[in-house]
Amino acid sequence: MSHISHAPHAHAPTSISRVMWLVIAALVPATLFSIWLNGWPALLLWLVTVGSAVFAEFFCLRLAQRPAAPVLADGSAVLTGWLLALSLPAWAPWWIGALGAIFAVVVVKQVFGGLGQNLFNPAMAARVMLLIAFPVELTTWVQPAPLFSADALSLSQSFALTFLGQMPSSFAALSGATTLGHIKTELTRDISVTQALAAHGQSMSASLFGLHGGSLGETAALLLAAGGLALIALRVITWHIPLAVLAGVALPALLLHANDPARYLDVTTHLLSGGLILGAFFIATDPVTSPGSPRGQLIFGFSVGLLTWLIRTYGGYPEAVAFAVILMNALTPVIDRYVRPRIYGHASKAASKKGAAS
Amino acid sequence: MVRWGVHPDARKQAASPQDIERLPLPAMLHIPLLQHSGAPAKPVVSVGQHVLKGELLGARQGNISAPVHAPTSGTVVAISDYPAPHPSGLGVLSISLEPDGEDRWIELTETDPFSLTPAQIAERVAAAGVVGMGGATFPSSVKMLLGKRSQVHTLLVNGSECEPYLSCDDRLMRERAAKIVEGIRIVLHAVGATKALCGIENNKPAAIEAMRHAAADFAAIEVIALPTRYPMGSDRQLIHVLTGQEVPSDGRSADVGVLVHNVGTLYAIQQAVRFGRPLISRVVTVAGGAVARPRNLDVLIGTPARLLVEHCGGLREPPARLLMGGPMMGLQLPSLDAPIIKGSSGILALGAHEIAQEQPSPCIRCGQCVSACPMNLMPFEMSAHIRIGDLDAVQGIKDCISCGSCSYVCPAHIPLSHYFDYAKGELTARERGKMRQESIRQLTSARKERLEREAREKAEAAARRKAERERAKAATAKEATS
Amino acid sequence: MIAIISLTALGVALGLGLGLAARFLRVEQDDGLASEIEAMLPGSQCGQCGFPGCGPAAAALASGSAPVTLCPPGGSALVRQLADKLGVKAQTSGMKESVPMLAVVEEALCIGCTKCFRVCPTDAIVGAPKQIHNVLREACTGCGKCVDVCPTMAVSMMPMPVTLQSWVWHKPAPAVAPAVAA
C-alpha cells in the first residue's frame, strides 16, 4: 500500500512551464519590435540580461544541490530576465543587465526560497535597485534609431557601446528624455504640461506604435496590450489586475486633467507611456507576488495604478510603475489575509469575523 | 451566473450510446455489510444457509444504517473479511454467496405507492436498503424522514452526472424515465413537497428529452437543462444553481427547504415502494481507455469488478489506474477483485495518457484553484498551512467538498484535495483522540469510585462484624458476670 | 561614533528593562497549574511516563522539567493540549509516532486468575475468577500493566487494528523540496 493515488485521476492540460512560456510568447512581438526600433545594442542587452538570469538560477540550484534542468525548463528565470531587459534603457551597458538579472534571481527570488516563495517581483525589485544605485545609466535614453535605418549603429559599434561603453560621438546629440521624464523636468521649470508635450513633439500614434525613446518594453504599447489580451483569452492571467491597474491610473488622471490641464497630464499619455501597459499586463499580474482572490486582485491592481499616478505626478521619479508594484507586493500578504472570498454557506459578516478571529 | 468549477474532458461518448446490458449471473458474490455511511449491517444468516433472491442478509443497526439483501438465490458460503472496494484494500465483513442459478425471488407483492402513508413509504425504503446512489451512500429513508420533519417544499432531482466517463444515470434516464418519474412522485408524496426540479446537464439531450416526456403529465415536475460544468452534481452547488439558495455551512439541504435525490436513488425507491424489491443491483458504467468495449451494465451488488471488465471485452492495455467512481472523485481500486457496492457508479480502467500525472512543483499562487473552487475557498493557502502541519490555521477545511476541482486545474500539479482529505482525517482522528481521552478519564474515575466504595463497604462490613463481636463479647461477659 | 554609542546605550537600556521586567513581572506559577494539568491527564496512573502517577507527572510538567510528550495514552491530542496550556511548542515531530496499542488476551493461555483486571486502571478487562478474561477495546489505554502481572503470559500488546472507518489518507509527499530544507 505504499502508493495510493488520491483523486482526481485526471488533470487539466496545464503546467507551470506552459504558463511561463505562454507569457514569454506573448512578449515576443513587442520585444522584436523594440529590438528593431533600438538597434543592435538592444539585442545585445536583451541577450546578456536573459543569459545572466538563467546562469544565476543555475548557479543557485547547484549551490542548493538540486537538479537544475527541470527548474530551468519551467522558464521562470528566462521570464524574469526578459521582463527586466524590457524595463531597461536600450543602450544601457551590459553590466547593468547582468547585475540586475543576478540581483533579481539570487537576492529577490532564490534567497527567499525560489519559485513561488519570493515576496517581491524579481524584475521590478532589480529595476528599482538599479535605478537607485545607477541613476545615470538608468535614465540615459536615446532617440530610437531603427535597424537598417541610416542612423542605426553597426554591429561592431553596438558591441563597443554595450560592452565597452563607447558611445559613438555622432550619437551624443541623439540622446533624449522619455515623455514622462521630459514633462517632469519641464514642470519644475514652470512650463505647463501642454507646452511641454507640444515641445516634446510626440504624437499619440507614436506612443501607440512605440516610435519614441524609452526602455525596451516601454515603447510598443499596442503590441504589449495585444500580448496581454492574448494571455487573458488563453486564461493564463485574469482581467482583474490589468483592468484595475489601468483604471487606477486613468481615473485620477481623468479627474485632475479635466480640472487643470496645465498641471496634470492627460489620460492617454499616462496610459501609453512609462511602461504602464507592460506593468499592467505582465508585471503586476505576476501570480507569485499578487493576491490570490479576484477581489484582492482588484484592490491590488487599482492600488498599483493609483500609486503609479501619485508617484508620477507628485514623486521624484517619472517612471513609477516599478515602485508602485514593489510597494503593493509588500502589501499582498495583508490583502490575502483580509480579502478572501466569502465561503459558500457562510453569512458574509460572520464569516469574515470568524476568519479574522481564528 | 456560475463562476466556479472546471471543464474536464467528458469522454462519455464511448459508453453512453449503448443500451444497458444485464451481466450474466456470476459464480460468486461478495456482499459487504458496510456499503453505506453509518453503522455496518449485522449478519442475520449463517454459513451454509440457503437464501432466496431479496432475502435479508444483514439487518440495519443504529439510527444511520442500511440492511443488505441477497442479490440472487443461493447458499451462504462464508461470513468473513473480504477486501473492500477502497484504496486501503482493507477487509470488511462480507457475506459470500454462491448462486444456485435459479435466481428465485422471495414472495413479492405489488402495492400502490400512493395508498401508503409517508411513514410506511419511509419504512419500505429503509427495509429495502436504499442509499444515495450518486456516491454518498447516505441511507435514503433517513433523508426522507428528515425532509418530512423540516417541511421540505422542493425535491431536487440530481441527473447532472458531471463526472467524466460516467453515463449510468444518463442511460437510466433514457431507458427508465417513467419509473424515475414515479419515484419522484413517491418522494413528493412522502415528504409533502409540492414541486420537483430535475436538473440534467445540457450535454445529455436524450436524457433531458426522455425525462421531459415522462414528466409531461405531472405539473409538479420540471426538467431543467443545466450548464455542463463540474461539480454540478454536488448537492450544494445543484441547490444553488436550481434555487439560488445557499445551504448554511453547518446545516443541511433541508434547512433551505429542499431535498436532493439522485435519479438512480429515485429509481431504487420506486422499485422498493411499488414492488417491495430491495436494492440488490445497479447500473454501472465500465469505461476508460484501457477497456476494450466501454458500456453500461446492470450488475448485482457483490459482483467482482473483474467480471464487469471481462464482459466489456477485457483490457486492451495494462491499465495505469483502476477506479471505482469517476476520475474526479473516484477511489483507486487495489485490484479488480473488489465487489460492486450500492455506491459504485463506475468501474474505470484508465490508460497512462488519461491520468496525466506529473511531479508536483512549487505553488506560484496563480489563483486558478481559487476561481475553480465551488465553495469559494482558497486552496493554495490551505494546503500551504497543511503542508507545514499547521492545521489550526486552515480556514474552511470543513466546507471543502473534496470535489478535486482545485487539483485538476493546478498548473503546479499540487495534490490539493489530497492535502484536504489528509487534514480532514487528521482532524477527525484528533477529535476521536480527545473523546477517547475523555472516556478514559471517566472510566478511571468510575474505577476509583468503585474501589473506594468497595473499600468503604468492606470497612463498614468489618466494623459491623467488629461491633457484633463486641456485642457478643459484652453479652457473654454480662452472662458470665450475672 | 555618536551613532554607535547611542545605539549601544539604547541596547543596554532596553536589555536592562527586559531583564527587570522578567524579574519583577514574572507570571507566578502556582500549584493551580499543576492541578489543572492533572485534570487534563488521563488519570489512569499507569506510570508509562516514568513518574509514579499522573499527579507527579503534572507537577513535573508545570515546573517545566518534563516534556509535553510524556504521556503515551494521551496521544498527540494531549500533546497539543498541553503545549497550548503551557505555551510551548508541541514537538510532535520529535516524538516517534506511537501507534495506539491494545491489550489482547490469548484465550488458550488464560487461567482466569483475575490479576490483570485488578490492576487495570480503566476496568477495561472483564471477567470473573476462573473465567477467561476479555478486553474492552474502547476502554483499553494500552498502558501494558496487565502484561506485567499475567502469570501465564497470556496478555500481550498489539497495535490497534485499522478499520475502514478509522483509515485516513496519508500526508501527500511534499513537492520538490524547498531550497531551505537542503
Side-chain angles (χ1 to χ4, degrees), chain B residues 314-355:
Chain B
L315 296 169
R316 61 175 167 204
E317 60 175 287
R321 200 163 295 165
L322 298 170
L323 301 179
M324 182 166 281
M328 296 299 286
M329 287 184 78
L331 294 173
Q332 188 182 8
L333 286 182
S335 91
L336 283 175
D337 295 329
I340 295 297
I341 55 174
K342 292 172 183 175
S344 318
S345 46
I347 293 293
L348 304 184
L350 301 182
H353 64 283
E354 289 172 293
I355 54 176

Side-chain angles (χ1 to χ4, degrees), chain A residues 326-340:
Chain A
I326 292 293
L327 282 170
M328 288 314 295
N329 284 167
L331 285 179
T332 292
V334 182
I335 297 177
D336 265 344
R337 177 90 169 76
Y338 291 107
V339 183
R340 30 183 72 247

Side-chain angles (χ1 to χ4, degrees), chain A:
Chain A
M1 272 327 103
S2 59
H3 185 76
I4 310 170
S5 296
H6 189 280
H9 307 280
H11 200 280
T14 174
S15 68
I16 299 278
S17 46
R18 179 177 174 271
V19 169
M20 294 287 176
W21 290 109
L22 276 176
V23 175
I24 291 170
L27 284 171
V28 166
T31 310
L32 287 177
F33 176 79
S34 294
I35 289 172
W36 169 78
L37 188 69
N38 292 295
W40 295 115
L43 178 68
L44 295 176
L45 183 69
W46 176 84
L47 278 176
V48 166
T49 312
V50 173
S52 306
V54 172
F55 172 77
E57 179 104 332
F58 175 76
F59 177 77
C60 287
L61 292 171
R62 284 313 281 279
L63 212 60
Q65 296 177 336
R66 289 167 53 196
V71 183
L72 288 180
D74 72 21
S76 62
V78 176
L79 183 58
T80 297
W82 199 309
L83 287 173
L84 177 64
L86 289 187
S87 71
L88 295 176
W91 288 21
W94 69 275
W95 53 267
I96 286 283
L99 193 68
I102 292 169
F103 179 82
V105 170
V106 178
V107 178
V108 188
K109 184 175 153 191
Q110 288 293 347
V111 164
F112 281 82
L115 181 63
Q117 304 291 316
N118 46 306
L119 181 59
F120 296 105
N121 182 304
M124 285 304 101
R127 188 181 193 279
V128 165
M129 183 278 286
L130 291 172
L131 186 60
I132 292 168
F134 309 103
V136 177
E137 283 79 358
L138 263 279
T139 50
T140 304
W141 313 94
V142 290
Q143 287 298 339
L147 275 181
F148 316 116
S149 69
D151 303 336
L153 292 183
S154 71
L155 193 55
S156 61
Q157 276 177 315
S158 306
F159 266 103
L161 172 74
T162 307
F163 292 104
L164 304 172
Q166 291 170 359
M167 176 72 86
S169 52
S170 59
F171 278 82
L174 278 179
S175 53
T178 60
T179 315
L180 291 172
H182 172 72
I183 285 158
K184 175 119 285 180
T185 324
E186 297 298 80
L187 266 180
T188 56
R189 292 167 47 203
D190 280 338
I191 296 172
S192 82
V193 171
T194 349
Q195 284 169 308
L197 258 184
H200 195 63
Q202 188 173 316
S203 69
M204 201 187 99
S205 66
S207 296
L208 207 53
F209 297 110
L211 297 167
H212 64 90
S215 65
L216 274 175
E218 186 173 320
T219 52
L222 203 63
L223 285 173
L224 285 169
L229 291 175
L231 288 183
I232 293 178
L234 286 167
R235 293 167 184 263
V236 173
I237 58 174
T238 59
W239 55 268
H240 303 85
I241 291 181
L243 189 76
V245 171
L246 298 180
V249 173
L251 279 183
L254 198 67
L255 290 177
L256 284 154
H257 178 70
N259 205 23
D260 183 2
R263 174 74 185 80
Y264 299 101
L265 207 48
D266 63 294
V267 177
T268 330
T269 315
H270 258 301
L271 290 185
L272 293 180
S273 50
L276 186 71
I277 300 289
L278 179 75
F281 284 98
F282 292 92
I283 289 169
T285 53
D286 168 23
V288 177
T289 53
S290 61
S293 65
R295 232 159 21 109
Q297 290 171 351
L298 286 178
I299 293 172
F300 172 87
F302 191 79
S303 307
V304 167
L306 197 63
L307 278 173
T308 304
W309 181 84
L310 281 173
I311 297 172
R312 278 180 179 179
T313 310
Y314 302 109
Y317 288 95
E319 327 292 339
V321 176
F323 287 100
V325 168
I326 292 293
L327 282 170
M328 288 314 295
N329 284 167
L331 285 179
T332 292
V334 182
I335 297 177
D336 265 344
R337 177 90 169 76
Y338 291 107
V339 183
R340 30 183 72 247
R342 183 185 62 81
I343 298 174
Y344 177 108
H346 285 267
S348 49
K349 273 277 142 52
S352 55
K353 238 182 244 163
K354 218 159 86 186
S358 67

Side-chain angles (χ1 to χ4, degrees), chain C residues 26-42:
Chain C
R26 192 167 61 188
V27 179
E28 289 298 327
Q29 292 202 338
D30 55 330
D31 291 344
L33 183 63
S35 57
E36 269 179 60
I37 292 173
E38 193 177 347
M40 292 163 71
L41 296 173

Side-chain angles (χ1 to χ4, degrees), chain B residues 215-440:
Chain B
D217 294 340
F218 307 102
I221 305 174
E222 190 186 348
V223 179
I224 297 168
L226 299 170
T228 300
R229 187 184 300 234
Y230 182 86
M232 188 60 76
S234 157
D235 279 10
R236 280 162 198 253
Q237 276 57 47
L238 190 75
I239 290 169
H240 189 232
V241 172
L242 284 177
T243 71
Q245 285 190 292
E246 284 186 16
V247 182
S249 169
D250 47 2
R252 299 166 173 279
S253 44
D255 294 347
V256 291
V258 301
L259 177 67
V260 185
H261 273 302
N262 169 272
V263 286
T265 315
L266 288 163
Y267 173 77
I269 289 173
Q270 188 261 351
Q271 294 287 307
V273 178
R274 178 169 282 281
F275 302 108
R277 289 181 195 147
L279 177 54
I280 51 167
S281 70
R282 66 158 298 145
V283 181
V284 180
T285 304
V286 185
V291 174
R293 292 186 291 117
R295 62 202 50 225
N296 285 285
L297 302 176
D298 197 337
V299 184
L300 296 181
I301 302 296
T303 308
R306 186 181 309 284
L307 297 183
L308 279 68
V309 175
E310 279 168 10
H311 185 80
C312 293
L315 296 169
R316 61 175 167 204
E317 60 175 287
R321 200 163 295 165
L322 298 170
L323 301 179
M324 182 166 281
M328 296 299 286
M329 287 184 78
L331 294 173
Q332 188 182 8
L333 286 182
S335 91
L336 283 175
D337 295 329
I340 295 297
I341 55 174
K342 292 172 183 175
S344 318
S345 46
I347 293 293
L348 304 184
L350 301 182
H353 64 283
E354 289 172 293
I355 54 176
Q357 194 165 36
E358 270 183 47
Q359 279 305 309
S361 48
C363 171
I364 57 164
R365 304 167 26 93
C366 65
Q368 298 268 12
C369 52
V370 182
S371 24
C373 180
M375 298 302 286
N376 288 343
L377 303 174
M378 294 182 77
F380 73 88
E381 191 197 71
M382 294 159 66
S383 74
H385 285 306
I386 297 169
R387 190 169 60 83
I388 58 167
D390 191 1
L391 294 188
D392 300 323
V394 183
Q395 292 191 22
I397 189 75
K398 287 204 182 90
D399 294 294
C400 171
I401 55 169
S402 295
C403 68
S405 298
C406 48
S407 308
Y408 176 81
V409 293
C410 178
H413 290 252
I414 297 169
L416 293 158
S417 53
H418 186 171
Y419 271 111
F420 305 149
D421 273 0
Y422 155 74
K424 286 177 202 167
E426 181 68 25
L427 289 171
T428 316
R430 278 188 195 179
E431 206 54 43
R432 253 202 306 262
K434 232 181 255 168
M435 275 161 60
R436 189 178 148 85
Q437 218 180 299
E438 189 52 44
S439 76
I440 287 173

Side-chain angles (χ1 to χ4, degrees), chain C residues 111-115 117-118 126-133:
Chain C
I111 50 169
C113 70
T114 76
K115 276 191 176 152
F117 83 64
R118 271 181 285 151
V126 289
K130 302 284 156 76
Q131 269 179 5
I132 285 168
H133 305 328

Side-chain angles (χ1 to χ4, degrees), chain C residues 11 16 21 32 35 47 81 99 113 119 121 126 156 161 165-166 172 174:
Chain C
L16 261 174
S35 57
Q81 283 180 6
V99 198
C113 70
V119 298
V126 289
S156 58
Q165 284 106 320
S166 68

